[in-house]
mmCIF file of all heavy atoms in Angstrom:
data_model
loop_
_atom_site.group_PDB
_atom_site.id
_atom_site.type_symbol
_atom_site.label_atom_id
_atom_site.label_comp_id
_atom_site.label_asym_id
_atom_site.label_seq_id
_atom_site.Cartn_x
_atom_site.Cartn_y
_atom_site.Cartn_z
ATOM 1 N N VAL A 1 163.691 54.685 -138.388
ATOM 2 C CA VAL A 1 162.775 53.865 -137.597
ATOM 3 C C VAL A 1 161.712 54.771 -136.993
ATOM 4 O O VAL A 1 162.036 55.783 -136.364
ATOM 5 C CB VAL A 1 163.514 53.099 -136.482
ATOM 6 C CG1 VAL A 1 162.522 52.248 -135.678
ATOM 7 C CG2 VAL A 1 164.607 52.212 -137.075
ATOM 8 N N LEU A 2 160.455 54.407 -137.178
ATOM 9 C CA LEU A 2 159.345 55.170 -136.612
ATOM 10 C C LEU A 2 158.439 54.255 -135.804
ATOM 11 O O LEU A 2 158.109 53.148 -136.245
ATOM 12 C CB LEU A 2 158.510 55.837 -137.708
ATOM 13 C CG LEU A 2 159.089 57.067 -138.411
ATOM 14 C CD1 LEU A 2 158.115 57.534 -139.486
ATOM 15 C CD2 LEU A 2 159.361 58.189 -137.415
ATOM 16 N N GLY A 3 158.030 54.734 -134.636
ATOM 17 C CA GLY A 3 156.986 54.091 -133.868
ATOM 18 C C GLY A 3 155.748 54.962 -133.982
ATOM 19 O O GLY A 3 155.643 55.979 -133.284
ATOM 20 N N PRO A 4 154.818 54.646 -134.867
ATOM 21 C CA PRO A 4 153.668 55.522 -135.113
ATOM 22 C C PRO A 4 152.661 55.505 -133.960
ATOM 23 O O PRO A 4 152.430 54.475 -133.336
ATOM 24 C CB PRO A 4 153.047 54.946 -136.383
ATOM 25 C CG PRO A 4 153.431 53.496 -136.359
ATOM 26 C CD PRO A 4 154.793 53.441 -135.721
ATOM 27 N N SER A 5 152.102 56.669 -133.713
ATOM 28 C CA SER A 5 151.026 56.791 -132.724
ATOM 29 C C SER A 5 149.681 56.743 -133.433
ATOM 30 O O SER A 5 149.583 57.044 -134.626
ATOM 31 C CB SER A 5 151.144 58.113 -131.956
ATOM 32 O OG SER A 5 152.365 58.192 -131.268
ATOM 33 N N ALA A 6 148.648 56.391 -132.704
ATOM 34 C CA ALA A 6 147.318 56.265 -133.297
ATOM 35 C C ALA A 6 146.786 57.596 -133.818
ATOM 36 O O ALA A 6 145.904 57.620 -134.678
ATOM 37 C CB ALA A 6 146.351 55.684 -132.275
ATOM 38 N N ASP A 7 147.338 58.720 -133.326
ATOM 39 C CA ASP A 7 146.841 60.031 -133.736
ATOM 40 C C ASP A 7 147.546 60.596 -134.964
ATOM 41 O O ASP A 7 147.311 61.736 -135.355
ATOM 42 C CB ASP A 7 146.945 61.026 -132.580
ATOM 43 C CG ASP A 7 148.375 61.232 -132.098
ATOM 44 O OD1 ASP A 7 149.311 60.670 -132.704
ATOM 45 O OD2 ASP A 7 148.562 61.962 -131.105
ATOM 46 N N GLY A 8 148.434 59.812 -135.591
ATOM 47 C CA GLY A 8 149.126 60.281 -136.789
ATOM 48 C C GLY A 8 150.522 60.808 -136.541
ATOM 49 O O GLY A 8 151.245 61.114 -137.497
ATOM 50 N N GLY A 9 150.909 60.929 -135.271
ATOM 51 C CA GLY A 9 152.271 61.319 -134.934
ATOM 52 C C GLY A 9 153.124 60.091 -134.668
ATOM 53 O O GLY A 9 152.817 58.995 -135.149
ATOM 54 N N PHE A 10 154.183 60.253 -133.891
ATOM 55 C CA PHE A 10 154.993 59.088 -133.536
ATOM 56 C C PHE A 10 155.434 59.179 -132.079
ATOM 57 O O PHE A 10 155.598 60.266 -131.528
ATOM 58 C CB PHE A 10 156.210 58.937 -134.465
ATOM 59 C CG PHE A 10 157.175 60.093 -134.465
ATOM 60 C CD1 PHE A 10 158.099 60.273 -133.447
ATOM 61 C CD2 PHE A 10 157.183 61.004 -135.515
ATOM 62 C CE1 PHE A 10 159.004 61.320 -133.457
ATOM 63 C CE2 PHE A 10 158.082 62.055 -135.547
ATOM 64 C CZ PHE A 10 158.987 62.220 -134.514
ATOM 65 N N TYR A 11 155.602 58.010 -131.471
ATOM 66 C CA TYR A 11 156.087 57.943 -130.098
ATOM 67 C C TYR A 11 157.572 57.666 -130.040
ATOM 68 O O TYR A 11 158.203 57.815 -128.985
ATOM 69 C CB TYR A 11 155.327 56.869 -129.306
ATOM 70 C CG TYR A 11 155.483 55.458 -129.841
ATOM 71 C CD1 TYR A 11 156.559 54.658 -129.460
ATOM 72 C CD2 TYR A 11 154.558 54.919 -130.732
ATOM 73 C CE1 TYR A 11 156.704 53.361 -129.955
ATOM 74 C CE2 TYR A 11 154.695 53.631 -131.230
ATOM 75 C CZ TYR A 11 155.769 52.855 -130.840
ATOM 76 O OH TYR A 11 155.919 51.582 -131.330
ATOM 77 N N LEU A 12 158.161 57.255 -131.170
ATOM 78 C CA LEU A 12 159.588 56.930 -131.230
ATOM 79 C C LEU A 12 160.096 57.222 -132.634
ATOM 80 O O LEU A 12 159.400 56.968 -133.628
ATOM 81 C CB LEU A 12 159.810 55.454 -130.888
ATOM 82 C CG LEU A 12 161.237 54.890 -130.925
ATOM 83 C CD1 LEU A 12 161.359 53.705 -129.958
ATOM 84 C CD2 LEU A 12 161.628 54.430 -132.341
ATOM 85 N N MET A 13 161.315 57.748 -132.693
ATOM 86 C CA MET A 13 161.985 57.926 -133.972
ATOM 87 C C MET A 13 163.454 57.569 -133.807
ATOM 88 O O MET A 13 164.115 58.031 -132.881
ATOM 89 C CB MET A 13 161.862 59.363 -134.474
ATOM 90 C CG MET A 13 162.591 59.604 -135.806
ATOM 91 S SD MET A 13 162.416 61.301 -136.403
ATOM 92 C CE MET A 13 163.280 62.195 -135.100
ATOM 93 N N GLY A 14 163.971 56.740 -134.720
ATOM 94 C CA GLY A 14 165.386 56.414 -134.757
ATOM 95 C C GLY A 14 165.997 57.042 -135.997
ATOM 96 O O GLY A 14 165.599 56.716 -137.120
ATOM 97 N N LEU A 15 166.970 57.943 -135.809
ATOM 98 C CA LEU A 15 167.462 58.783 -136.892
ATOM 99 C C LEU A 15 168.985 58.759 -136.949
ATOM 100 O O LEU A 15 169.655 58.928 -135.930
ATOM 101 C CB LEU A 15 166.982 60.221 -136.665
ATOM 102 C CG LEU A 15 167.363 61.290 -137.687
ATOM 103 C CD1 LEU A 15 166.635 61.056 -139.006
ATOM 104 C CD2 LEU A 15 167.001 62.672 -137.126
ATOM 105 N N HIS A 16 169.542 58.546 -138.152
ATOM 106 C CA HIS A 16 170.987 58.630 -138.359
ATOM 107 C C HIS A 16 171.352 60.082 -138.683
ATOM 108 O O HIS A 16 170.584 60.790 -139.337
ATOM 109 C CB HIS A 16 171.414 57.715 -139.509
ATOM 110 C CG HIS A 16 172.897 57.536 -139.627
ATOM 111 N ND1 HIS A 16 173.713 58.481 -140.217
ATOM 112 C CD2 HIS A 16 173.721 56.539 -139.213
ATOM 113 C CE1 HIS A 16 174.970 58.070 -140.176
ATOM 114 N NE2 HIS A 16 175.001 56.898 -139.567
ATOM 115 N N ARG A 17 172.534 60.506 -138.253
ATOM 116 C CA ARG A 17 172.920 61.904 -138.422
ATOM 117 C C ARG A 17 172.940 62.331 -139.897
ATOM 118 O O ARG A 17 172.667 63.484 -140.215
ATOM 119 C CB ARG A 17 174.273 62.202 -137.776
ATOM 120 C CG ARG A 17 175.457 61.574 -138.432
ATOM 121 C CD ARG A 17 176.762 62.283 -138.069
ATOM 122 N NE ARG A 17 177.038 62.350 -136.653
ATOM 123 C CZ ARG A 17 177.125 63.493 -135.970
ATOM 124 N NH1 ARG A 17 176.935 64.657 -136.572
ATOM 125 N NH2 ARG A 17 177.414 63.470 -134.685
ATOM 126 N N GLU A 18 173.238 61.418 -140.823
ATOM 127 C CA GLU A 18 173.301 61.777 -142.236
ATOM 128 C C GLU A 18 171.924 62.082 -142.820
ATOM 129 O O GLU A 18 171.819 62.673 -143.898
ATOM 130 C CB GLU A 18 173.981 60.668 -143.044
ATOM 131 C CG GLU A 18 175.472 60.557 -142.781
ATOM 132 C CD GLU A 18 176.183 59.758 -143.857
ATOM 133 O OE1 GLU A 18 175.558 59.450 -144.895
ATOM 134 O OE2 GLU A 18 177.369 59.448 -143.647
ATOM 135 N N ASN A 19 170.878 61.698 -142.118
ATOM 136 C CA ASN A 19 169.516 61.965 -142.576
ATOM 137 C C ASN A 19 168.861 63.111 -141.816
ATOM 138 O O ASN A 19 167.655 63.325 -141.931
ATOM 139 C CB ASN A 19 168.664 60.702 -142.442
ATOM 140 C CG ASN A 19 169.181 59.582 -143.306
ATOM 141 O OD1 ASN A 19 169.515 59.783 -144.461
ATOM 142 N ND2 ASN A 19 169.267 58.385 -142.742
ATOM 143 N N PHE A 20 169.652 63.842 -141.064
ATOM 144 C CA PHE A 20 169.118 64.943 -140.259
ATOM 145 C C PHE A 20 169.410 66.265 -140.949
ATOM 146 O O PHE A 20 170.519 66.776 -140.906
ATOM 147 C CB PHE A 20 169.737 64.905 -138.861
ATOM 148 C CG PHE A 20 169.255 66.004 -137.950
ATOM 149 C CD1 PHE A 20 167.917 66.105 -137.617
ATOM 150 C CD2 PHE A 20 170.144 66.935 -137.430
ATOM 151 C CE1 PHE A 20 167.462 67.107 -136.767
ATOM 152 C CE2 PHE A 20 169.712 67.939 -136.579
ATOM 153 C CZ PHE A 20 168.365 68.033 -136.247
ATOM 154 N N ASP A 21 168.392 66.805 -141.610
ATOM 155 C CA ASP A 21 168.479 68.129 -142.217
ATOM 156 C C ASP A 21 167.780 69.101 -141.278
ATOM 157 O O ASP A 21 166.549 69.133 -141.194
ATOM 158 C CB ASP A 21 167.811 68.120 -143.596
ATOM 159 C CG ASP A 21 167.961 69.441 -144.339
ATOM 160 O OD1 ASP A 21 167.827 70.508 -143.704
ATOM 161 O OD2 ASP A 21 168.206 69.403 -145.555
ATOM 162 N N ARG A 22 168.553 69.892 -140.585
ATOM 163 C CA ARG A 22 168.023 70.732 -139.516
ATOM 164 C C ARG A 22 166.874 71.635 -139.982
ATOM 165 O O ARG A 22 165.830 71.725 -139.334
ATOM 166 C CB ARG A 22 169.163 71.578 -138.945
ATOM 167 C CG ARG A 22 168.779 72.453 -137.775
ATOM 168 C CD ARG A 22 169.932 73.354 -137.385
ATOM 169 N NE ARG A 22 169.569 74.209 -136.290
ATOM 170 C CZ ARG A 22 169.779 73.925 -135.016
ATOM 171 N NH1 ARG A 22 170.379 72.804 -134.692
ATOM 172 N NH2 ARG A 22 169.416 74.751 -134.067
ATOM 173 N N GLU A 23 167.043 72.299 -141.123
ATOM 174 C CA GLU A 23 166.033 73.252 -141.582
ATOM 175 C C GLU A 23 164.756 72.549 -142.023
ATOM 176 O O GLU A 23 163.654 72.970 -141.685
ATOM 177 C CB GLU A 23 166.606 74.102 -142.720
ATOM 178 C CG GLU A 23 167.724 75.030 -142.284
ATOM 179 C CD GLU A 23 167.325 75.930 -141.121
ATOM 180 O OE1 GLU A 23 166.226 76.528 -141.187
ATOM 181 O OE2 GLU A 23 168.094 76.024 -140.154
ATOM 182 N N LYS A 24 164.898 71.474 -142.792
ATOM 183 C CA LYS A 24 163.705 70.735 -143.221
ATOM 184 C C LYS A 24 163.002 70.091 -142.033
ATOM 185 O O LYS A 24 161.769 70.027 -141.982
ATOM 186 C CB LYS A 24 164.098 69.663 -144.237
ATOM 187 C CG LYS A 24 164.479 70.193 -145.602
ATOM 188 C CD LYS A 24 164.755 69.053 -146.568
ATOM 189 C CE LYS A 24 165.093 69.568 -147.958
ATOM 190 N NZ LYS A 24 165.367 68.466 -148.913
ATOM 191 N N PHE A 25 163.792 69.648 -141.078
ATOM 192 C CA PHE A 25 163.230 68.931 -139.948
ATOM 193 C C PHE A 25 162.339 69.825 -139.092
ATOM 194 O O PHE A 25 161.235 69.439 -138.709
ATOM 195 C CB PHE A 25 164.361 68.352 -139.107
ATOM 196 C CG PHE A 25 163.969 67.179 -138.265
ATOM 197 C CD1 PHE A 25 163.794 65.922 -138.832
ATOM 198 C CD2 PHE A 25 163.754 67.319 -136.910
ATOM 199 C CE1 PHE A 25 163.407 64.842 -138.061
ATOM 200 C CE2 PHE A 25 163.376 66.253 -136.127
ATOM 201 C CZ PHE A 25 163.200 65.008 -136.709
ATOM 202 N N LYS A 26 162.811 71.020 -138.802
ATOM 203 C CA LYS A 26 162.023 71.886 -137.915
ATOM 204 C C LYS A 26 160.750 72.400 -138.582
ATOM 205 O O LYS A 26 159.819 72.841 -137.904
ATOM 206 C CB LYS A 26 162.862 73.058 -137.420
ATOM 207 C CG LYS A 26 163.192 74.112 -138.447
ATOM 208 C CD LYS A 26 164.004 75.233 -137.809
ATOM 209 C CE LYS A 26 164.308 76.334 -138.816
ATOM 210 N NZ LYS A 26 165.114 77.419 -138.195
ATOM 211 N N ASP A 27 160.694 72.305 -139.929
ATOM 212 C CA ASP A 27 159.514 72.781 -140.641
ATOM 213 C C ASP A 27 158.485 71.686 -140.919
ATOM 214 O O ASP A 27 157.488 71.932 -141.600
ATOM 215 C CB ASP A 27 159.940 73.420 -141.972
ATOM 216 C CG ASP A 27 160.678 74.737 -141.769
ATOM 217 O OD1 ASP A 27 160.430 75.393 -140.741
ATOM 218 O OD2 ASP A 27 161.501 75.104 -142.620
ATOM 219 N N LEU A 28 158.711 70.491 -140.398
ATOM 220 C CA LEU A 28 157.724 69.420 -140.552
ATOM 221 C C LEU A 28 156.448 69.778 -139.781
ATOM 222 O O LEU A 28 156.483 70.604 -138.860
ATOM 223 C CB LEU A 28 158.301 68.102 -140.036
ATOM 224 C CG LEU A 28 159.370 67.443 -140.906
ATOM 225 C CD1 LEU A 28 160.050 66.301 -140.135
ATOM 226 C CD2 LEU A 28 158.771 66.925 -142.205
ATOM 227 N N PRO A 29 155.299 69.179 -140.124
ATOM 228 C CA PRO A 29 154.036 69.511 -139.445
ATOM 229 C C PRO A 29 153.935 68.867 -138.054
ATOM 230 O O PRO A 29 153.154 67.935 -137.824
ATOM 231 C CB PRO A 29 152.980 68.957 -140.404
ATOM 232 C CG PRO A 29 153.644 67.805 -141.076
ATOM 233 C CD PRO A 29 155.083 68.224 -141.246
ATOM 234 N N TRP A 30 154.732 69.365 -137.155
ATOM 235 C CA TRP A 30 154.765 68.805 -135.805
ATOM 236 C C TRP A 30 153.424 68.983 -135.122
ATOM 237 O O TRP A 30 152.736 69.971 -135.326
ATOM 238 C CB TRP A 30 155.875 69.473 -134.983
ATOM 239 C CG TRP A 30 157.227 69.223 -135.568
ATOM 240 C CD1 TRP A 30 158.010 70.108 -136.247
ATOM 241 C CD2 TRP A 30 157.940 67.984 -135.557
ATOM 242 N NE1 TRP A 30 159.159 69.505 -136.662
ATOM 243 C CE2 TRP A 30 159.144 68.201 -136.254
ATOM 244 C CE3 TRP A 30 157.677 66.724 -135.032
ATOM 245 C CZ2 TRP A 30 160.084 67.203 -136.434
ATOM 246 C CZ3 TRP A 30 158.607 65.716 -135.214
ATOM 247 C CH2 TRP A 30 159.802 65.955 -135.908
ATOM 248 N N GLN A 31 153.087 68.003 -134.278
ATOM 249 C CA GLN A 31 151.837 68.007 -133.522
ATOM 250 C C GLN A 31 150.618 68.075 -134.455
ATOM 251 O O GLN A 31 149.609 68.688 -134.139
ATOM 252 C CB GLN A 31 151.831 69.162 -132.512
ATOM 253 C CG GLN A 31 152.966 69.042 -131.499
ATOM 254 C CD GLN A 31 153.034 70.186 -130.516
ATOM 255 O OE1 GLN A 31 153.106 71.347 -130.923
ATOM 256 N NE2 GLN A 31 152.993 69.877 -129.235
ATOM 257 N N HIS A 32 150.750 67.413 -135.602
ATOM 258 C CA HIS A 32 149.676 67.362 -136.591
ATOM 259 C C HIS A 32 149.480 65.910 -137.011
ATOM 260 O O HIS A 32 150.429 65.118 -137.039
ATOM 261 C CB HIS A 32 150.042 68.220 -137.805
ATOM 262 C CG HIS A 32 148.914 68.454 -138.761
ATOM 263 N ND1 HIS A 32 148.534 67.507 -139.698
ATOM 264 C CD2 HIS A 32 148.075 69.508 -138.934
ATOM 265 C CE1 HIS A 32 147.513 67.979 -140.397
ATOM 266 N NE2 HIS A 32 147.219 69.184 -139.963
ATOM 267 N N SER A 33 148.257 65.561 -137.368
ATOM 268 C CA SER A 33 147.947 64.174 -137.718
ATOM 269 C C SER A 33 148.635 63.707 -138.995
ATOM 270 O O SER A 33 148.672 62.514 -139.278
ATOM 271 C CB SER A 33 146.432 64.004 -137.862
ATOM 272 O OG SER A 33 145.931 64.829 -138.903
ATOM 273 N N MET A 34 149.197 64.645 -139.783
ATOM 274 C CA MET A 34 149.860 64.292 -141.030
ATOM 275 C C MET A 34 151.368 64.110 -140.861
ATOM 276 O O MET A 34 152.075 63.910 -141.858
ATOM 277 C CB MET A 34 149.602 65.376 -142.088
ATOM 278 C CG MET A 34 148.147 65.543 -142.465
ATOM 279 S SD MET A 34 147.456 64.026 -143.191
ATOM 280 C CE MET A 34 148.395 63.931 -144.713
ATOM 281 N N LEU A 35 151.874 64.142 -139.630
ATOM 282 C CA LEU A 35 153.318 64.118 -139.422
ATOM 283 C C LEU A 35 153.977 62.869 -139.981
ATOM 284 O O LEU A 35 154.948 62.943 -140.736
ATOM 285 C CB LEU A 35 153.636 64.254 -137.927
ATOM 286 C CG LEU A 35 155.116 64.151 -137.549
ATOM 287 C CD1 LEU A 35 155.936 65.217 -138.263
ATOM 288 C CD2 LEU A 35 155.288 64.250 -136.041
ATOM 289 N N VAL A 36 153.475 61.689 -139.614
ATOM 290 C CA VAL A 36 154.123 60.449 -140.057
ATOM 291 C C VAL A 36 154.039 60.300 -141.571
ATOM 292 O O VAL A 36 155.031 59.936 -142.225
ATOM 293 C CB VAL A 36 153.500 59.224 -139.353
ATOM 294 C CG1 VAL A 36 153.904 57.932 -140.063
ATOM 295 C CG2 VAL A 36 153.961 59.173 -137.906
ATOM 296 N N SER A 37 152.881 60.603 -142.166
ATOM 297 C CA SER A 37 152.764 60.473 -143.613
ATOM 298 C C SER A 37 153.709 61.429 -144.329
ATOM 299 O O SER A 37 154.293 61.089 -145.367
ATOM 300 C CB SER A 37 151.319 60.723 -144.062
ATOM 301 O OG SER A 37 150.898 62.032 -143.737
ATOM 302 N N ARG A 38 153.925 62.602 -143.768
ATOM 303 C CA ARG A 38 154.879 63.556 -144.360
ATOM 304 C C ARG A 38 156.307 63.033 -144.235
ATOM 305 O O ARG A 38 157.101 63.132 -145.193
ATOM 306 C CB ARG A 38 154.732 64.907 -143.662
ATOM 307 C CG ARG A 38 155.755 65.957 -144.056
ATOM 308 C CD ARG A 38 155.520 66.580 -145.417
ATOM 309 N NE ARG A 38 156.482 67.640 -145.651
ATOM 310 C CZ ARG A 38 156.305 68.890 -145.234
ATOM 311 N NH1 ARG A 38 155.190 69.241 -144.586
ATOM 312 N NH2 ARG A 38 157.213 69.805 -145.474
ATOM 313 N N LEU A 39 156.644 62.484 -143.087
ATOM 314 C CA LEU A 39 157.974 61.913 -142.906
ATOM 315 C C LEU A 39 158.218 60.762 -143.878
ATOM 316 O O LEU A 39 159.306 60.648 -144.457
ATOM 317 C CB LEU A 39 158.144 61.423 -141.462
ATOM 318 C CG LEU A 39 158.695 62.407 -140.436
ATOM 319 C CD1 LEU A 39 158.579 61.817 -139.039
ATOM 320 C CD2 LEU A 39 160.137 62.774 -140.747
ATOM 321 N N VAL A 40 157.230 59.925 -144.039
ATOM 322 C CA VAL A 40 157.358 58.801 -144.962
ATOM 323 C C VAL A 40 157.608 59.314 -146.378
ATOM 324 O O VAL A 40 158.482 58.813 -147.102
ATOM 325 C CB VAL A 40 156.095 57.912 -144.922
ATOM 326 C CG1 VAL A 40 156.114 56.898 -146.049
ATOM 327 C CG2 VAL A 40 155.995 57.210 -143.575
ATOM 328 N N THR A 41 156.856 60.329 -146.791
ATOM 329 C CA THR A 41 157.024 60.893 -148.129
ATOM 330 C C THR A 41 158.416 61.488 -148.308
ATOM 331 O O THR A 41 159.089 61.245 -149.322
ATOM 332 C CB THR A 41 155.968 61.978 -148.398
ATOM 333 O OG1 THR A 41 154.665 61.399 -148.302
ATOM 334 C CG2 THR A 41 156.155 62.588 -149.772
ATOM 335 N N GLU A 42 158.862 62.274 -147.323
ATOM 336 C CA GLU A 42 160.157 62.940 -147.428
ATOM 337 C C GLU A 42 161.303 61.939 -147.402
ATOM 338 O O GLU A 42 162.267 62.061 -148.163
ATOM 339 C CB GLU A 42 160.319 63.933 -146.270
ATOM 340 C CG GLU A 42 159.378 65.127 -146.307
ATOM 341 C CD GLU A 42 159.828 66.187 -147.287
ATOM 342 O OE1 GLU A 42 160.986 66.137 -147.736
ATOM 343 O OE2 GLU A 42 159.005 67.075 -147.602
ATOM 344 N N PHE A 43 161.212 60.952 -146.518
ATOM 345 C CA PHE A 43 162.361 60.083 -146.290
ATOM 346 C C PHE A 43 162.531 59.030 -147.367
ATOM 347 O O PHE A 43 163.650 58.604 -147.662
ATOM 348 C CB PHE A 43 162.245 59.397 -144.922
ATOM 349 C CG PHE A 43 163.529 58.752 -144.478
ATOM 350 C CD1 PHE A 43 164.538 59.505 -143.901
ATOM 351 C CD2 PHE A 43 163.744 57.397 -144.663
ATOM 352 C CE1 PHE A 43 165.732 58.922 -143.514
ATOM 353 C CE2 PHE A 43 164.928 56.791 -144.278
ATOM 354 C CZ PHE A 43 165.928 57.563 -143.690
#
């Protein structure tokens, strides 16, 4: 579950533990306008 922000990030994320890959997660483009689109592609 994602609550997208107007700037390309998100204000809310709902995540199940089975979808939490610690290494991939920390390497996402945080604080970047491409964050949500990258999450959508990966997930």
Side-chain angles (χ1 to χ4, degrees):
V1 180
L2 285 178
S5 300
D7 61 4
F10 60 78
Y11 62 86
L12 179 153
M13 178 179 64
L15 181 69
H16 191 281
R17 69 160 57 243
E18 289 197 10
N19 298 315
F20 180 61
D21 185 319
R22 183 186 179 93
E23 293 306 313
K24 288 184 178 180
F25 203 76
K26 71 179 182 181
D27 290 333
L28 287 169
W30 298 106
Q31 299 178 305
H32 191 280
S33 61
M34 297 298 294
L35 176 59
V36 165
S37 62
R38 174 75 175 275
L39 270 171
V40 170
T41 300
E42 293 281 346
F43 194 81

